[in-house]
Amino acid sequence: MSFPWAKEYKPSHPFMQWMDDRLPLPRLVYNSVGGGYPVPRNLNYFWNFGFLAALCLVLQIVTGIVMAMHYAANTQVAFDTVEQTVRDVNWGWMMRYAHANGASAFFVVIYVHIFRGFFYGSYKAPREMVWLLGVVIFLLMMATAFMGYVLPWGQMSFWGAKVITGLFGAIPFVGEPLQQWLLGGFAPDNAALNRFFSLHYLLPFVIVGVVILHIWALHIPGSSNPTGVEVKSESDTVPFYPYYVAKDGWAIGVFAILFCTALFFFPNALGHPDNYIPANPMSTPAHIVPEWYFWPFYAILRAFTQDFFFIPAKLMGVLAMFGAILVWFFLPWLDRSPVRSGSYRPLYKKFFFFGLIPAMAVLFYCGGAPAEEPYVMLSQIAALYYFAHFLIVIPIVSAIEKPDPLPFSITESVLGEDEAAKLAPAPSATVA
Amino acid sequence: MAEADGVRRRDFINIAAVSAAGVAGVGIVVPLVSQMSASADVLAASSTEIDISSIQPGQAIKAIFRKQPVFVRNLTPHEIAEANKVDVSSLRDPQTLEERTKEGKENWLITMGVCTHLGCVPLGAGEGEPKGEFGGYFCPCHGSSYDTAARIRKGPAPKNLEVPEYAFTTDTVVKIG
Amino acid sequence: MARILSILVGLFFTVALAWSFGKGAYQQITEPPAATAEHEFHLHPKEVSFASDGAFGKFDRQQLQRGFQVYKEVCAACHALRHVAFRDLAALGYNDAEVKAIAKGFQVPVYNNATGEVETREGVATDYFPPVLYGGQGTPPDLSLITKARHDGPAYVYSLLTGYQDQPAALLKKFPDSKTPDSLHYNPYFANLNLAMPPPLTGEGQVTYGDGTKATVDQMSKDVSAFLIWTAEPKLEKRKQTGWPVLGFLLFATILGYMSYRNIWAGKKH
């Protein structure tokens, strides 16, 4: 589906015509990211992060393929092959740092993208499927990033693998055999390293597949926008090309500047020093933490310190950690407010800015801190709010809140009522 | 007029921006291509020193140079004479034994152990291996025969066995590469 | 219905958390965790600067050579450097002959296929620093990556080397059980305060520098830390030198991109 005023692809060259009759790939591109895709004209810079996420995925795949050319998935040599890549391979140091920091950049971008969705209600009908696929991508990203972190076979790699697969051990009855099955042994070793490498290479391409579905599903209703008001007429939109190509283009420049600053001047700032120590199954690092992008969920895992009735604390932690992401799947049905954008939801806005954002910040901070007081108690309060926000606050707020008046249309919100009236035909004419 | 100029200036900015993106793209490709060429540790290992003191006349050894076999052969006076007897102009790849050895060390024939046809390792350097009908090396893959100066005499190979760059660092040590 | 279900699930998690919080807080009050000597007496690394610091940092080759000398004459007795090859030392400003001579000074293990014994031969430029056999107490870590494998690594190495001291009386007074065992050495920069390594740099002139620099303990510690920055990241200079033109170009391209964006959106209110 597209809007009736979407421009149609017209092959400009006989070859393109020939191609269009046989494999209309140029047409597909034109309708996806070209002149044939009308996009709301009022998108703010938060809408650049989808494009940036796609860019990060490409960056990770390209640098990852390079790393795989020099890597050997064997516990005897894995650490050394990575070091050798950095020291001896031409530009190897740059590839390694780009891949490691690329993972962080990808998560920065994706967190902004997700929270954009939270605030502007991007998950609401008719875009539930876009949202669901997005959560799937996020889960796949987490799995991929986790397995990638194991590959250099440093101390954090090894103990990360041990602890994370240990989570599955918390599941009653099947936990222990499941953990053994995941690792192919009693502890992380060659079998685990090899399968993690295999899956770490495979999953990004699965992500590419789901991203294609994500974009496909997005193109059915078209992009959302900061007002949350649906597109009504042609004056509400501009064609993706050249308008948003230009906007995404310069945003990529800004992203590249920030990324290269990290890459060339602070390449190890986000890494953990312990991962420069080769894995030693006989000695656990004093303070083990996952990569920063897992910190909120790690904090939730550690927040459950007491058995709850008959449920052991460990199982509670694991349930909550997975639950913290799985709850996102239900978000379109938890939030029943007819208004999408947080800008027009006075109560929701307050909970978002003074509840969810600080809670996430605290969880981020505490997840990276040692498991001591006051961090544990802080993360308990923050995790408590996190679950309350999604499961209690959102359903209740969406029922009782009185939203602010919405603009009649995107055009009106941009140009003001008078000018918009001149441009847009009467609303009855566009309802078709 | 002023407006036309303005339009042109605008187009210029867009073209410049797209060109800059293109330059960035090429800039990214350079390290991506370069990373596949031989790394520093491989290049560092690209010379080999061989102790030749234990090779008796008539014997040969196989050494490794750049992960490939290299044949070091101590020629007997008979083999030298045999090689010098050949009419150079009749050869497929005309070269004298003198051109293929170092001055004053004509008995030391040092060649790559890589057949110039398709890269197999010819026989003849190891103990008891057939030396082929010209007394040098014989490649079992497609039947190329080399003489005592390791020149191609028969079979499909186009060139003589390659003589690598080498130098005698002492009377008994050769540095290849 | 869905709303009630979701609130119930929400209550399940929030009550479980409140329970954990309450019980944790109660324990915190009734039995507060005991203070430890490590917690109170461990020090963060000292402030120290190196030529390679900062966005324009470059190695001081003279210092690296001095640091290598300290490593070779002092540290190498116990600590290996397995990711570094002798050929890499050319980057410190040694010529080919010097590199070969350094390599020759190390014995490299080789497995003899004929006898099944491990023998040694003189090192060559392509060899890596050989493993160090150590039979004493503790496990001396490999030093090639040490400055990246510790928080604030270069300063940590420097602080550790210069940080040996007698155990403070205040510590013993507060934690009488924490007396440093006889075989260990007190050092507040080490994570658990007591270190198996005896002070390696003990007095001025322990090494004799060829360039006439006075070999104080402080100087030697700084030099060897600088050397270990290099071993951990020999490409540090190249990285920073590549960074500047890349950032310069990106800035230029981004400004162009911004102008082009303004240009295309001109007259389009949004």
Side-chain angles (χ1 to χ4, degrees):
Chain A
M1 194 210 92
S2 186
F3 301 110
W5 57 86
K7 280 188 271 180
E8 212 208 321
Y9 174 67
K10 289 206 180 58
S12 53
H13 188 271
F15 171 75
M16 297 305 252
Q17 179 67 57
W18 182 88
M19 187 76 176
D20 194 46
D21 294 339
R22 286 156 183 81
L23 179 71
L25 196 59
R27 179 181 292 269
L28 180 73
V29 171
Y30 184 85
N31 289 338
S32 308
V33 289
Y37 180 44
V39 187
R41 63 193 291 177
N42 61 336
L43 301 189
N44 60 30
Y45 280 106
F46 286 111
W47 265 261
N48 288 90
F49 284 80
F51 201 93
L52 288 178
L55 182 79
C56 287
L57 179 58
V58 172
L59 172 80
Q60 286 306 83
I61 288 179
V62 171
T63 52
I65 287 172
V66 169
M67 289 309 288
M69 287 184 189
H70 305 286
Y71 174 76
N74 181 302
T75 56
Q76 298 291 311
V77 296
F79 188 90
D80 294 358
T81 57
V82 175
E83 262 316 300
Q84 194 169 17
T85 307
V86 171
R87 285 160 191 268
D88 285 335
V89 170
N90 299 305
W91 300 101
W93 57 272
M94 191 165 95
M95 297 298 162
R96 204 265 162 125
Y97 283 146
H99 197 63
N101 286 289
S104 285
F106 200 172
F107 275 95
V108 170
V109 167
I110 223 73
Y111 275 121
V112 175
H113 192 59
I114 291 171
F115 276 76
R116 192 283 316 271
F118 283 148
F119 184 76
Y120 290 108
S122 305
Y123 46 84
K124 291 190 183 184
R127 296 185 186 81
E128 301 100 318
M129 195 47 99
V130 186
W131 176 258
L132 297 181
L133 290 165
V135 181
V136 170
I137 294 171
F138 184 63
L139 288 170
L140 286 170
M141 270 177 68
M142 293 180 96
T144 310
F146 159 67
M147 288 190 282
Y149 196 53
V150 175
L151 301 184
W153 209 243
Q155 273 289 66
M156 282 296 169
S157 304
F158 179 89
W159 291 99
K162 188 142 184 172
V163 169
I164 298 298
T165 55
L167 297 181
F168 292 90
I171 301 169
F173 311 116
V174 293
E176 223 164 290
L178 182 64
Q179 184 186 357
Q180 240 177 63
W181 175 77
L182 284 170
L183 289 174
F186 305 103
D189 198 21
N190 255 332
L193 183 60
N194 265 301
R195 68 190 57 180
F196 282 7
F197 180 45
S198 170
L199 293 173
H200 182 70
Y201 208 122
L202 168 72
L203 285 188
F205 297 98
V206 177
I207 294 177
V208 169
V210 185
V211 165
I212 289 170
L213 298 182
H214 185 68
I215 297 173
W216 184 8
L218 172 73
H219 280 67
I220 303 300
S223 299
S224 161
N225 70 83
T227 64
V229 176
E230 284 295 308
V231 168
K232 290 196 169 78
S233 67
E234 187 168 3
S235 69
D236 288 347
T237 65
V238 291
F240 193 89
Y241 177 85
Y243 288 94
Y244 283 105
V245 170
K247 195 173 178 183
D248 282 330
W250 99 268
I252 287 173
V254 174
F255 169 81
I257 288 173
L258 295 174
F259 178 69
C260 287
T261 305
L263 167 60
F264 290 108
F265 298 102
F266 309 99
N268 292 307
L270 292 169
H272 198 291
D274 278 14
N275 225 26
Y276 280 112
I277 305 171
N280 178 359
M282 294 297 142
S283 140
T284 310
H287 169 205
I288 84 172
V289 282
E291 289 277 80
W292 69 267
Y293 35 80
F294 294 132
W295 285 353
F297 304 101
Y298 193 59
I300 290 175
L301 172 78
R302 292 193 304 188
F304 291 83
T305 50
Q306 305 292 337
D307 294 354
F308 189 57
F309 296 109
F310 55 92
I311 309 171
K314 182 180 175 188
L315 179 58
M316 254 335 271
V318 174
L319 276 179
M321 187 180 78
F322 288 110
I325 300 170
L326 295 183
V327 67
W328 296 356
F329 278 117
F330 299 94
L331 196 53
W333 298 278
L334 293 174
D335 181 359
R336 306 309 298 258
S337 168
V339 174
R340 278 197 197 90
S341 170
S343 305
Y344 302 95
R345 300 183 57 190
L347 203 50
Y348 177 81
K349 188 159 44 176
K350 285 201 184 77
F351 280 105
F352 181 84
F353 284 117
F354 301 112
L356 185 63
I357 295 288
M360 272 315 269
V362 170
L363 288 174
F364 256 114
Y365 183 74
C366 294
E372 304 165 354
E373 300 305 349
Y375 307 116
V376 175
M377 282 159 83
L378 277 175
S379 55
Q380 281 162 341
I381 298 170
L384 192 151
Y385 181 77
Y386 180 94
F387 284 103
H389 181 87
F390 286 105
L391 291 164
I392 302 173
V393 171
I394 285 186
I396 293 178
V397 162
S398 63
I400 62 168
E401 179 181 53
K402 188 176 172 295
D404 292 341
L406 290 172
F408 168 72
S409 70
I410 294 171
T411 313
E412 188 190 290
S413 78
V414 173
L415 299 179
E417 217 166 313
D418 297 340
E419 236 179 302
K422 273 183 266 164
L423 265 171
S428 57
T430 53
V431 177
Chain B
M1 191 62 208
E3 187 144 296
D5 274 353
V7 168
R8 235 178 281 151
R9 197 180 68 92
R10 282 185 199 169
D11 288 346
F12 173 75
I13 289 171
N14 294 346
I15 291 165
V18 171
S19 316
V23 172
V26 174
I28 293 168
V29 167
V30 170
L32 287 176
V33 171
S34 160
Q35 56 89 15
M36 279 176 62
S37 58
S39 60
D41 55 321
V42 172
L43 293 177
S46 61
S47 72
T48 305
E49 289 195 350
I50 304 170
D51 180 2
I52 56 172
S53 56
S54 61
I55 307 170
Q56 300 302 315
Q59 283 188 337
I61 62 158
K62 290 184 200 179
I64 295 171
F65 169 58
R66 291 183 180 166
K67 303 278 168 190
Q68 296 177 93
V70 62
F71 295 157
V72 182
R73 189 163 180 164
N74 191 350
L75 298 174
T76 60
H78 174 71
E79 284 172 329
I80 295 173
E82 194 83 345
N84 287 337
K85 221 163 61 189
V86 182
D87 174 14
V88 174
S89 61
S90 71
L91 293 172
R92 188 176 303 168
D93 182 8
Q95 261 184 327
T96 63
L97 179 63
E98 228 164 85
E99 286 166 349
R100 294 170 62 73
T101 53
K102 298 280 177 208
E103 209 181 328
K105 305 269 187 195
E106 275 87 1
N107 60 323
W108 290 107
L109 176 68
I110 299 177
T111 61
M112 296 303 296
V114 179
C115 181
T116 55
H117 179 218
L118 291 172
C120 295
V121 178
L123 300 172
E127 191 105 11
E129 284 178 2
K131 293 184 173 178
E133 55 185 291
F134 298 94
Y137 301 106
F138 170 70
C139 182
C141 291
H142 304 92
S144 294
S145 292
Y146 298 87
D147 67 11
T148 53
R151 293 174 296 202
I152 181 64
R153 297 293 288 275
K154 195 176 168 188
K159 294 260 183 206
N160 302 335
L161 287 187
E162 189 198 334
V163 177
E165 293 250 334
Y166 70 90
F168 284 86
T169 49
T170 71
D171 267 358
T172 56
V173 176
V174 185
K175 187 186 174 198
I176 303 182
Chain C
M1 183 61 209
R3 196 168 286 164
I4 294 167
L5 203 68
S6 115
I7 292 174
L8 285 176
V9 174
L11 284 174
F12 170 72
F13 283 112
T14 47
V15 170
L17 278 161
W19 174 245
S20 283
F21 176 82
K23 232 178 148 182
Y26 178 74
Q27 280 171 359
Q28 193 72 14
I29 294 162
T30 51
E31 28 189 309
T36 61
E38 291 92 30
H39 204 265
E40 292 195 11
F41 286 87
H42 177 251
L43 297 178
H44 285 289
K46 303 177 191 175
E47 288 284 330
V48 55
S49 62
F50 295 95
S52 54
D53 290 350
F56 295 99
K58 278 187 166 180
F59 289 122
D60 172 353
R61 298 280 184 300
Q62 277 301 314
Q63 185 177 34
L64 296 190
Q65 293 199 4
R66 291 197 303 269
F68 171 59
Q69 192 185 346
V70 176
Y71 167 76
K72 198 172 70 169
E73 294 177 17
V74 183
C75 318
C78 307
H79 293 277
L81 207 56
R82 69 191 188 99
H83 292 292
V84 182
F86 296 116
R87 63 183 157 82
D88 294 333
L89 295 173
L92 304 193
Y94 294 112
N95 61 32
D96 271 3
E98 287 168 323
V99 169
K100 271 191 184 167
I102 291 167
K104 232 175 175 171
F106 285 82
Q107 291 292 313
V108 178
V110 277
Y111 178 79
N112 186 328
N113 277 318
T115 62
E117 308 259 332
V118 177
E119 298 165 354
T120 57
R121 62 165 169 78
E122 284 174 353
V124 296
T126 50
D127 285 322
Y128 286 77
F129 277 82
V132 176
L133 300 173
Y134 178 81
Q137 195 190 8
T139 44
D142 185 276
L143 292 185
S144 4
L145 283 164
I146 201 78
T147 54
K148 273 156 99 181
R150 298 288 182 275
H151 280 288
D152 204 2
Y156 169 82
V157 172
Y158 168 77
S159 307
L160 197 75
L161 290 175
T162 54
Y164 285 91
Q165 53 187 260
D166 291 330
Q167 210 168 14
L171 189 154
L172 286 173
K173 202 173 151 208
K174 196 160 179 196
F175 305 100
D177 295 342
S178 299
K179 189 170 164 28
T180 302
D182 284 343
S183 53
L184 301 182
H185 308 271
Y186 183 80
N187 192 324
Y189 299 99
F190 191 63
N192 70 12
L193 305 180
N194 299 311
L195 180 57
M197 174 169 75
L201 300 171
T202 47
E204 199 172 314
Q206 195 170 347
V207 302
T208 310
Y209 284 139
D211 63 0
T213 307
K214 207 164 153 207
T216 59
V217 171
D218 188 76
Q219 184 68 42
M220 290 187 288
S221 305
K222 221 176 260 176
D223 290 347
V224 81
S225 306
F227 171 67
L228 292 174
I229 297 175
W230 173 79
T231 61
E233 184 149 15
K235 295 289 166 61
L236 178 144
E237 247 174 22
K238 188 173 186 201
R239 166 161 69 74
K240 292 176 178 175
Q241 282 166 3
T242 314
W244 284 112
V246 168
L247 281 186
F249 174 79
L250 283 175
L251 195 66
F252 165 74
T254 305
I255 291 170
L256 274 182
Y258 180 71
M259 283 162 68
S260 167
Y261 155 71
R262 289 299 299 255
N263 202 347
I264 284 166
W265 281 79
K268 201 77 173 172
K269 257 185 143 178
H270 60 284

